[in-house]
Amino acid sequence: YKQISRYKSTSSHSFNDFGPGNHQNKNTGAAAQNKHVHKPYKEMQRAKRAQAHRSVLINTSSSISVPLIYKECRQYGKINHVCHFKDEKNSVLIEFASPSSVRELLSSASHFQNPQNIPVQSRLLHFQPRDLLRSSVNKLKVHTVEPPKLELSRLHFAKTISDQMQMLHLTHQISDFDSRLHFFVCSCLEDSLSGLFPHCIVEPFGSSVNGFGKSGCDLDMEVDFLPNNKDSRFQTKSKSMKFRTNKHKGNEREFAQQILQVLGDVIQHFMPTCAGVHHILNARVPIVKFFHKASSLECDLAFKNPSASQMSELLYFFGEIDDRVRPLVATVKEWAHAKNLTRSNPGPWPSNFTLIMMVLFFLQSRRQPILPTFNHLHRLAGQDERIVIDGINFSFTTNLSRLPVTQNDEGLGELLMEFFNFYTTFDFTKYALSLNDGSATSKPDSAPLYIPNLFELGHNVSRNINDSHLLGLRHGMEAAVYSLETNSNRESNNWGILSILHPGDNERPIQMRVSDLFHQDNEEDLHTSNISEMNSDAGMADSEK
Ligand code: GTP
Ligand code: MG
């Protein structure tokens, strides 16, 4: 990628030109331009789910015993992968080659002899070494993961702004260990529900899997008792024999609330190492929040929500289309956090999700588009990619080879600058950001920022944002342009993206008081308002129509 100073004029190119017929100038295809091997989302999910179900998470009081854990576990079968997370919990995540090894290990484990302990069985174990000295296991190799230290100062030594952005992305992205833990926690929940619901699936969605997550991000999960899946596991053999079951009362939403109430209670009372269980059921998307201590993950559990899972797959695919998408998103998210323009809790500020949508829209809007429009992906959907659930059409292709080549060769640094410039001049008062057709369309209402939900155009995914926070975002972008322009020289202390990632440095003074921009609201209300929007987008509130 080129440096930020190298601008290149591009020939005019309309959005509709981003069609299959327009790639004659290059024969390298979108897929060929990617340096990494494309892994389809569903394949990735399947592999990680299977991996998680073959894994156990064992903690121990001292890191000296880690090799002993490994030695003990090897007795139960071949180990595919072992990872030691070197924090105060000394967690060791062990993936066996075969699920039967897990079963054998669990059948040999015992419960603590304490009458107050509820004797639940799970794949979360504690290891108490009997005799440390006897062993010569120190030679055994265990992959050790240190808690992530994201030192921004390292960016100083990069050669170009594009390199800085790549480095930021690579150091911040979800690690293999994070990802394993996310899928592991889902698989443990599945285990606990499988007695009543053998086909039940608990899957991560959101930043854990959409390719835009940062190490340490929360874990969003959805539970589905009987996924309507083509998977052979769900194909029934007998047409005449049916299970007798109870009927639930009320509509889908009320059912989700009842189920989550029970699941929250089960998690609180029976699931090991789950704490701070909080039922948030009156939000329009009911969820249960809790902290999973063994993995140190903040978890949100929702009842099945096709919109959220399809959105995760779509975002993942957008990230796969071009190598520049994820580093650009990572830099924009990091900048917004550093400048307090967004926060991890929901509120009237842009969420990470909104920021991602803004970056994607910008990349669709380049004169030579880098990303195709959603309508284009929708039109290219093959027979096996057509999905309609509750009347909502979620069809889009995830086949890279069906996509044309982008002729855009702008560097990452250049794109970052252009991103900020694009939105400092965008007329938010008149226009919505339509990712469906990659263009600015008239706003249907007076919301300060309008980004139609890709699957349900009548819903605004950024409805939570108020005027002052949008203004704050815009001022932040103006300041970022200024900082990048005045710090492009590698000799300066905070050069390149360092100038926009350090709070307060080199910023042009802005007209508003910071307290005007970031007033604190009641956290519970904020959460509810964000979630309620999400539900309205997700089309889950049938009951409320
Ligand atoms: P983090 O801030 O890292 O957690 O990013 P995230 O993408 O996981 O966001 P969040 O946990 O808030 O939401 C999880 C997923 O729910 C997102 O990735 C989206 O797919 C979906 N989602 C979140 N907010 C909205 C919204 O406002 N509208 C809609 N339609 N979907 C949303
Ligand atoms: Mg999340």
Side-chain angles (χ1 to χ4, degrees):
Y1 300 123
K2 291 166 294 176
Q3 264 196 283
I4 195 160
S5 52
R6 220 183 112 202
Y7 282 86
K8 183 171 174 275
S9 65
T10 49
S11 61
S12 172
H13 196 293
S14 81
F15 304 122
N16 295 337
D17 288 342
F18 204 102
N22 290 298
H23 59 285
Q24 61 272 41
N25 293 348
K26 284 187 184 175
N27 55 10
T28 48
Q33 287 192 339
N34 278 334
K35 288 176 205 75
H36 69 276
V37 180
H38 169 57
K39 186 149 198 187
Y41 180 84
K42 292 197 175 72
E43 209 178 282
M44 180 268 290
Q45 285 259 12
R46 240 192 322 272
K48 286 181 184 259
R49 273 175 55 79
Q51 208 172 59
H53 275 283
R54 293 191 305 266
S55 303
V56 290
L57 185 63
I58 307 174
N59 87 301
T60 182
S61 40
S62 158
S63 63
I64 311 169
S65 4
V66 171
L68 285 172
I69 295 180
Y70 181 75
K71 193 184 174 203
E72 169 120 0
C73 287
R74 268 202 326 195
Q75 297 170 19
Y76 300 98
K78 187 169 171 258
I79 290 174
N80 273 356
H81 188 274
V82 50
C83 208
H84 167 213
F85 193 66
K86 214 173 173 186
D87 63 356
E88 68 284 355
K89 290 193 206 92
N90 276 309
S91 309
V92 185
L93 186 64
I94 294 194
E95 181 208 334
F96 285 99
S98 156
S100 61
S101 307
V102 177
R103 283 195 293 273
E104 268 186 58
L105 168 59
L106 295 190
S107 65
S108 73
S110 55
H111 287 284
F112 282 106
Q113 293 304 311
N114 178 346
Q116 279 186 320
N117 280 8
I118 303 172
V120 164
Q121 179 170 311
S122 82
R123 284 177 288 121
L124 286 173
L125 299 160
H126 179 79
F127 182 73
Q128 266 177 338
R130 275 166 303 142
D131 182 5
L132 270 183
L133 299 173
R134 201 184 43 178
S135 169
S136 59
V137 288
N138 281 333
K139 290 182 217 114
L140 293 174
K141 283 219 168 112
V142 173
H143 174 52
T144 300
V145 183
E146 302 278 344
K149 283 193 210 99
L150 307 171
E151 281 169 19
L152 283 183
S153 55
R154 289 195 4 235
L155 299 181
H156 185 81
F157 305 103
K159 289 208 176 85
T160 63
I161 290 184
S162 299
D163 288 348
Q164 287 186 319
M165 293 169 70
Q166 288 285 8
M167 275 171 76
L168 183 81
H169 163 58
L170 293 174
T171 49
H172 283 206
Q173 73 184 347
I174 288 191
S175 67
D176 176 58
F177 181 69
D178 290 325
S179 172
R180 282 171 182 271
L181 275 185
H182 286 213
F183 278 86
F184 178 77
V185 173
C186 291
S187 75
C188 288
L189 257 173
E190 251 177 54
D191 276 4
S192 6
L193 300 175
S194 62
L196 281 172
F197 306 103
H199 295 317
C200 137
I201 277 203
V202 180
E203 270 181 341
F205 67 96
S207 55
S208 308
V209 284
N210 66 19
F212 296 111
K214 181 178 168 179
S215 186
C217 67
D218 67 357
L219 167 58
D220 303 295
M221 298 173 273
E222 57 168 346
V223 55
D224 194 351
F225 292 150
L226 189 61
N228 182 15
N229 203 310
K230 287 182 189 146
D231 191 319
S232 56
R233 288 194 310 139
F234 310 115
Q235 307 293 321
T236 44
K237 292 190 186 78
S238 168
K239 296 241 183 302
S240 43
M241 210 62 87
K242 304 276 182 209
F243 290 109
R244 295 195 62 181
T245 52
N246 291 349
K247 283 204 173 67
H248 71 78
K249 298 195 178 67
N251 53 40
E252 282 291 302
R253 172 177 161 74
E254 284 158 357
F255 180 53
Q257 286 171 321
Q258 290 154 17
I259 292 297
L260 286 169
Q261 176 66 54
V262 178
L263 293 188
D265 292 342
V266 169
I267 291 169
Q268 180 168 4
H269 296 293
F270 304 131
M271 291 248 337
T273 87
C274 292
V277 177
H278 193 37
H279 296 82
I280 304 177
L281 303 179
N282 286 328
R284 283 166 73 194
V285 169
I287 56 164
V288 173
K289 277 183 105 58
F290 61 95
F291 181 60
H292 190 262
K293 287 195 263 180
S295 59
S296 299
L297 283 173
E298 293 286 352
C299 303
D300 286 359
L301 177 67
F303 198 56
K304 65 177 174 180
N305 180 352
S307 176
S309 47
Q310 292 299 314
M311 183 63 78
S312 301
E313 178 163 9
L314 180 63
L315 295 188
Y316 176 85
F317 185 61
F318 272 127
E320 289 285 288
I321 293 176
D322 192 286
D323 278 350
R324 291 166 288 186
V325 180
R326 288 177 183 144
L328 183 60
V329 167
T331 310
V332 168
K333 274 170 64 176
E334 207 53 33
W335 157 79
H337 276 274
K339 302 294 174 192
N340 264 334
L341 298 168
T342 178
R343 302 183 196 173
S344 38
N345 56 324
W349 39 79
S351 63
N352 279 333
F353 181 63
T354 299
L355 292 171
I356 295 171
M357 301 300 264
M358 290 178 83
V359 174
L360 300 182
F361 178 75
F362 160 74
L363 293 174
Q364 291 176 331
S365 313
R366 302 305 294 147
R367 272 200 280 176
Q368 303 276 5
I370 290 178
L371 290 178
T373 66
F374 176 72
N375 287 346
H376 190 68
L377 297 180
H378 182 70
R379 280 194 299 273
L380 290 179
Q383 197 58 44
D384 55 339
E385 292 171 319
R386 304 230 165 104
I387 304 175
V388 179
I389 303 171
D390 296 338
I392 305 169
N393 198 327
F394 294 105
S395 314
F396 56 91
T397 189
T398 57
N399 186 340
L400 272 184
S401 65
R402 291 199 187 131
L403 293 183
V405 179
T406 174
Q407 301 190 356
N408 184 309
D409 64 354
E410 288 168 294
L412 268 175
E414 190 177 353
L415 286 172
L416 181 65
M417 181 68 110
E418 287 300 313
F419 169 81
F420 291 131
N421 273 324
F422 179 81
Y423 284 113
T424 49
T425 52
F426 191 89
D427 189 350
F428 291 106
T429 56
K430 281 200 189 129
Y431 298 112
L433 280 57
S434 166
L435 280 86
N436 294 69
D437 49 15
S439 61
T441 53
S442 303
K443 272 200 321 191
D445 68 28
S446 60
L449 176 61
Y450 201 106
I451 306 179
N453 181 318
L454 286 155
F455 303 124
E456 289 176 275
L457 296 179
H459 297 293
N460 176 10
V461 304
S462 51
R463 200 174 66 181
N464 58 309
I465 298 172
N466 67 17
D467 276 315
S468 71
H469 283 276
L470 181 63
L471 194 59
L473 189 68
R474 200 175 188 130
H475 282 302
M477 289 181 171
E478 282 168 9
V481 170
Y482 175 77
S483 295
L484 287 172
E485 273 171 358
T486 51
N487 290 286
S488 59
N489 185 346
R490 286 185 67 219
E491 303 307 311
S492 55
N493 260 354
N494 285 328
W495 79 278
I497 63 168
L498 281 170
S499 68
I500 60 166
L501 299 184
H502 281 289
D505 280 348
N506 300 311
E507 278 184 3
R508 201 174 1 199
I510 56 174
Q511 301 297 313
M512 308 177 71
R513 283 179 307 141
V514 174
S515 56
D516 293 337
L517 293 179
F518 310 120
H519 58 86
Q520 266 290 4
D521 292 336
N522 177 291
E523 201 163 305
E524 181 75 23
D525 287 351
L526 296 179
H527 197 111
T528 313
S529 72
N530 188 272
I531 290 169
S532 63
E533 187 284 315
M534 189 180 144
N535 191 24
S536 72
D537 285 341
M540 290 176 65
D542 284 347
S543 59
E544 296 173 4
K545 284 178 189 163

